[in-house]
Amino acid sequence: MTRFTDDEVIQIFEELPNHQGCSPADLADAELQFGASFPTIYRRLMLLDERRMLSVGWILPVNKLAEWKRDAEQILNNDGHDFQLAPNHVVFAWYDIHSFYFFAADGSEDAPVYRFNYYSDDDDWLPAEEAPSVREFLIKRIRSYLKLNFADL
């Protein structure tokens, strides 16, 4: 069995045809709204092929990140949760049934991804680390999209 490295998975993804990335202006506007550059891998993949990244599951469109953050804040406020998103928290993925996912935009190369489950108190209504990095979070979804999940082949 062959196991593809994370870099090989990204290379396979980059070699797919018909990329449709977000516009550099949309990405710059989003970063301006959150006051910092987003992690490099997120920027790279969204500029390369936002359309396909949206289809890998749960990822949100760059030009709607502020709206989705407001939706997350509304859930937190309406449900009376003590946890609140910080100004630099970027809600970039959402699993409709129960969770939103966010990272801190602080200009760093990468950042941990946190999940807030608004459906269940399994995490005591606090964010839990979903992945140690945005890179790992996205590569996991790309592996699934490319059907590389079962020991890769």
Side-chain angles (χ1 to χ4, degrees):
M1 265 188 249
T2 302
R3 171 109 177 122
F4 294 104
T5 67
D6 289 350
D7 288 338
E8 289 170 328
V9 170
I10 291 172
Q11 182 179 355
I12 292 167
F13 186 77
E14 289 175 332
E15 291 173 358
L16 295 173
N18 304 316
H19 293 294
Q20 282 186 302
C22 71
S23 75
D26 281 347
L27 186 59
D29 287 346
E31 289 178 325
L32 187 62
Q33 290 174 1
F34 289 96
S37 294
F38 296 163
T40 303
I41 190 68
Y42 178 80
R43 297 180 93 261
R44 177 177 164 192
L45 292 174
M46 296 306 278
L47 286 167
L48 172 71
D49 201 342
E50 180 186 46
R51 179 186 53 84
R52 201 171 269 131
M53 287 305 300
L54 297 174
S55 72
V56 304
W58 311 355
I59 307 301
L60 302 171
V62 168
N63 66 349
K64 302 284 187 195
L65 293 176
E67 291 175 38
W68 283 98
K69 181 175 182 178
R70 283 191 294 275
D71 289 349
E73 290 171 331
Q74 187 173 16
I75 287 171
L76 293 170
N77 290 329
N78 289 349
D79 292 349
H81 296 294
D82 291 332
F83 171 74
Q84 297 295 306
L85 292 164
N88 70 336
H89 285 164
V90 178
V91 175
F92 76 110
W94 201 295
Y95 187 59
D96 285 337
I97 297 173
H98 58 71
S99 301
F100 60 82
Y101 300 81
F102 65 94
F103 61 82
D106 58 10
S108 63
E109 180 71 21
D110 210 340
V113 173
Y114 295 94
R115 173 192 71 248
F116 187 87
N117 183 339
Y118 53 84
Y119 182 74
S120 158
D121 66 356
D122 288 349
D123 298 316
D124 296 323
W125 303 115
L126 295 170
E129 187 175 291
E130 178 70 16
S133 68
V134 172
R135 178 183 173 88
E136 186 173 308
F137 182 89
L138 294 175
I139 288 173
K140 181 178 179 182
R141 274 132 195 92
I142 292 170
R143 281 183 189 278
S144 178
Y145 176 83
L146 296 172
K147 311 259 189 280
L148 300 176
N149 279 343
F150 302 103
D152 286 351
L153 296 177

